[in-house]
Amino acid sequence: MTGSARAQRQGWRYGANVAARVVLGTAGAYVVAALFAAALARTLPMPRVEAVTLATLLAFLIAPGVTIWAFLAAGPWRAAAGIVAVALLLTGIAWLAGQPA
């Protein structure tokens, strides 16, 4: 394999790595933030409107953290695993909390 072919292959891998992290950092951040807001709004012991407002505002702090995680993880698969694990945990919390009264 020539040096140029190897460089092209490594360039393609680097581009795919960055593209995967961008997708995980945007779509994953949106999903985790939405699930965080849903889970928190259902578990906060306060009137419904105030709980939804507070949970939504706090979700805006979660989204950048997920995006940062997508780029700090050792690889795109590990970043995806972390995001999916958190999303499943938040889904479980929201499901167990049920519908707000």
Side-chain angles (χ1 to χ4, degrees), residues 40-63:
L40 189 62
R42 290 179 180 188
T43 55
L44 284 176
M46 57 178 53
R48 187 174 182 178
V49 172
E50 294 176 10
V52 169
T53 303
L54 179 61
T56 304
L57 290 175
L58 290 176
F60 282 110
L61 299 176
I62 297 298

Side-chain angles (χ1 to χ4, degrees), residues 46-99:
M46 57 178 53
R48 187 174 182 178
V49 172
E50 294 176 10
V52 169
T53 303
L54 179 61
T56 304
L57 290 175
L58 290 176
F60 282 110
L61 299 176
I62 297 298
V66 174
T67 302
I68 291 170
W69 164 252
F71 283 93
L72 284 181
W77 290 109
R78 189 168 290 186
I83 289 171
V84 167
V86 171
L88 289 176
L89 175 69
L90 292 171
T91 301
I93 291 171
W95 183 71
L96 288 175
Q99 291 293 325

